[in-house]
């Protein structure tokens, strides 16, 4: 019986497919409650409470309909658990808070579902990473004869409060930055559909590499790639949107920042002999933002430019090239730049300093986007 069956009093009619399918990213810590003593102790430690409620009891205690409770839980990534007694006071409080935001008119019901889904997806990935890459290594028995069981509980007990505080700190910092960007938007429409520079960076020949490297070597390469990209994007004022193993997607508020990041990625990873070649594609224009991701023609164009970029090179679209010339980051042409330099030198004035150079490439058709005019971006000599 699924959580929805409780709404019908647990009747005997055969249950159809769930109205809201469980997302593929479920964190299934509530499904099929285990009888393993250590697992139960760890769950109580992490959740801070004992199992007390069935889904129906939790929904009723929170004053929420079973249908809405099911939607919230599935949006957060939790699997249907029938009527097992696996929920705690914290589950009741979470339902009450989300429903309260809807009742108070602060969030619409669809928006509350989105909040639950975005939070669930983000924290699911974080929790999986912490267990796979962090706790798994630390819980190796330090002495012969000790079991992982004897190490795990005290370790989690020590780490839990520190990780929790750090998570809240980072979230508040990110929320402050995101809020600042929103309030600086020119109008309400720009809060959702904004003009941004979007960049993709893609490792060349990654598929062939997966067949040649051992799994551990491949994992180390991907981690090094993602870490380097994340650090460079953040350090130079961009925002990392997501990583896709051999590819990263980032954005920036202005074309100059995106261009600087693209070239830095090429320069930095090009000096790493363990890394394959890299290609970067950049586009500038209107972007739709949803749940921390970006969508639209500009994003698609950046992706297409990446696929046709030469190895260890950055291709940009005409809109980003125009923006770089408008802001004085790049000359309209090298001929004009030379004329400006000669005139400034003759008149004893400072020579205009441009950060980037742009070279037009052949126009070409791009699947789904028509004919585009890519520009090859490079750094001008100091």
């Amino acid at each position: 019986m699924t959580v929805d069956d409780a709404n019908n009093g647990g009747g005997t009619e055969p249950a159809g497919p769930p109205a809201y399918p469980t997302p593929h990213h479920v964190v299934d810590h509530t499904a099929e409650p285990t009888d393993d003593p250590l697992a139960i102790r760890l769950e109580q430690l992490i959740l801070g409470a004992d199992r007390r409620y069935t889904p129906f009891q939790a929904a009723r205690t929170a004053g929420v309909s079973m249908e809405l409770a099911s939607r919230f839980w599935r949006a957060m990534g939790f699997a249907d658990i029938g009527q097992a007694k696996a929920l705690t006071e914290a589950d009741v409080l979470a339902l009450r808070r989300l429903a309260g935001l809807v009742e108070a008119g602060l969030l619409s019901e669809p928006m509350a579902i989105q909040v639950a889904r975005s939070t669930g997806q983000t924290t699911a990935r974080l929790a999986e990473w912490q267990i796979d890459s962090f706790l798994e290594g630390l819980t190796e028995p330090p002495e012969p004869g000790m079991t992982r069981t004897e190490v795990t509980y005290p370790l989690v007990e020590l780490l839990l409060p520190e990780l929790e505080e750090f998570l809240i700190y980072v979230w508040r910092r990110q929320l402050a930055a995101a809020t600042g960007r929103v309030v600086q938007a020119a109008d309400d429409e720009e809060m959702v559909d904004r003009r941004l520079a979007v960049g993709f960076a893609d490792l060349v020949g990654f598929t062939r590499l997966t067949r040649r490297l051992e799994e551990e070597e491949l994992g180390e390469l991907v981690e090094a790639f993602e870490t380097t990209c994340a650090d460079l994007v953040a350090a130079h004022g961009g925002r990392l949107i997501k990583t896709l193993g051999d590819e990263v997607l980032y954005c920036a508020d202005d074309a100059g920042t995106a261009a600087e990041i693209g070239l830095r990625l090429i320069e930095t990873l090009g000096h790493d002999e363990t890394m394959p070649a890299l290609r970067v594609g950049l586009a500038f224009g209107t972007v739709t933002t949803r749940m921390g991701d970006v969508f639209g023609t500009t994003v698609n164009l950046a992706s297409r430019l990446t696929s046709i970029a030469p190895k260890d090179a950055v291709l940009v679209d005409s809109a980003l090239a125009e923006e770089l010339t408008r802001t004085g980051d790049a000359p309209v042409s090298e001929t004009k730049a030379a004329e400006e330099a000669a005139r400034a030198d003759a008149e004893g004035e400072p020579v205009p300093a441009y950060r980037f150079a742009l070279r037009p490439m052949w126009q070409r058709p791009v699947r789904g986007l028509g004919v585009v005019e890519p520009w090859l971006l490079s750094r001008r000599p100091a």
Side-chain angles (χ1 to χ4, degrees):
M1 182 172 65
T2 68
V3 287
D4 290 322
D5 294 328
N7 221 16
N8 299 320
T12 58
E13 293 183 7
Y20 308 96
T22 302
H24 70 276
H25 61 274
V26 294
V27 182
D28 204 6
H29 67 267
T30 58
E32 297 298 331
T34 178
D35 293 326
D36 182 87
L38 175 65
I40 293 175
R41 287 180 63 214
L42 281 169
E43 181 186 277
Q44 291 172 344
L45 172 64
I46 295 170
L47 298 181
D50 296 335
R51 296 172 176 175
R52 183 174 174 182
Y53 301 101
T54 66
F56 178 72
Q57 291 170 337
R60 184 175 58 186
T61 304
V64 177
S65 72
M66 194 63 223
E67 180 187 5
L68 184 58
S70 298
R71 296 182 68 192
F72 281 147
W73 283 322
R74 287 168 179 160
M76 285 185 276
F78 303 140
D80 292 340
I81 60 170
Q83 284 306 306
K85 186 173 286 189
L87 304 181
T88 71
E89 288 289 350
D91 295 296
V92 172
L93 182 58
L95 285 178
R96 193 175 291 152
R97 280 176 170 159
L98 278 173
L101 291 172
V102 175
E103 291 172 4
L106 296 173
L107 294 178
S108 66
E109 187 174 308
M111 181 58 68
I113 297 294
Q114 280 195 1
V115 168
R117 179 168 290 113
S118 61
T119 306
Q121 289 179 356
T122 303
T123 53
R125 185 178 181 189
L126 175 62
E128 289 289 342
W129 180 89
Q130 288 174 332
I131 293 299
D132 291 345
S133 304
F134 186 48
L135 290 179
E136 185 175 290
L138 288 178
T139 53
E140 289 294 338
E143 298 178 11
M146 290 189 69
T147 65
R148 179 170 295 222
T149 297
E150 292 172 319
V151 178
T152 303
Y153 189 92
L155 182 62
V156 172
E157 191 173 28
L158 288 171
L159 285 174
L160 187 62
E162 301 300 326
L163 291 177
E164 183 176 21
E165 289 294 328
F166 186 69
L167 175 62
I168 293 172
Y169 156 74
V170 175
W171 171 71
R172 284 183 177 272
R173 268 288 178 188
Q174 294 287 5
L175 188 64
T179 303
R181 290 192 293 269
V182 167
V183 298
Q184 292 176 41
D187 51 46
D188 289 345
E189 288 186 6
E190 192 179 331
M191 291 169 63
V192 176
D193 297 320
R194 307 169 56 195
R195 285 180 64 77
L196 295 174
V198 177
F200 278 92
D202 177 56
L203 291 174
V204 178
F206 185 76
T207 302
R208 291 193 301 273
L209 204 60
T210 60
R211 293 194 290 266
R212 195 173 76 241
L213 294 180
E214 297 290 336
E215 287 186 6
E216 186 173 346
E217 293 177 308
L218 189 64
E220 290 174 354
L221 184 143
V222 168
E223 184 175 357
F225 170 65
E226 292 184 348
T227 299
T228 300
C229 291
D231 288 348
L232 285 172
V233 169
H236 294 282
R239 295 188 297 284
L240 186 69
I241 302 300
K242 58 187 173 185
T243 59
L244 303 169
D246 62 331
E247 188 175 58
V248 298
L249 168 61
Y250 71 92
C251 66
D253 293 329
D254 62 271
T257 296
E260 179 66 29
I261 291 170
L263 289 174
R264 291 273 181 174
L265 290 172
I266 295 291
E267 293 161 356
T268 302
L269 293 170
H271 286 93
D272 188 339
E273 296 180 355
T274 67
M275 284 288 169
L278 187 71
R279 338 178 251 215
V280 177
L282 301 174
F284 185 81
T286 301
V287 174
T288 298
T289 59
R290 288 287 189 281
M291 293 175 63
D293 208 342
V294 290
F295 308 92
T297 302
T298 303
V299 180
N300 295 337
L301 180 54
S303 177
R304 298 288 189 271
L305 288 172
T306 306
S307 66
I308 63 175
K311 292 181 179 180
D312 291 325
V314 181
L315 277 189
V316 307
D317 75 328
S318 56
L320 193 136
E322 289 174 8
E323 188 68 10
L324 289 177
T325 59
R326 185 188 69 81
T327 57
D329 284 312
V332 174
S333 69
E334 289 302 314
T335 301
K336 184 175 180 181
E339 292 173 353
E340 290 176 347
R343 183 172 59 251
D345 187 57
E347 297 175 358
E349 297 179 353
V351 176
Y354 297 106
R355 288 197 289 165
F356 310 115
L358 292 164
R359 180 160 62 91
M361 307 290 283
W362 291 105
Q363 291 186 355
R364 65 189 71 188
V366 173
R367 181 168 51 88
L369 297 171
V371 177
V372 300
E373 181 184 6
W375 295 71
L376 186 67
L377 177 76
S378 61
R379 195 181 298 282
R380 288 180 63 85

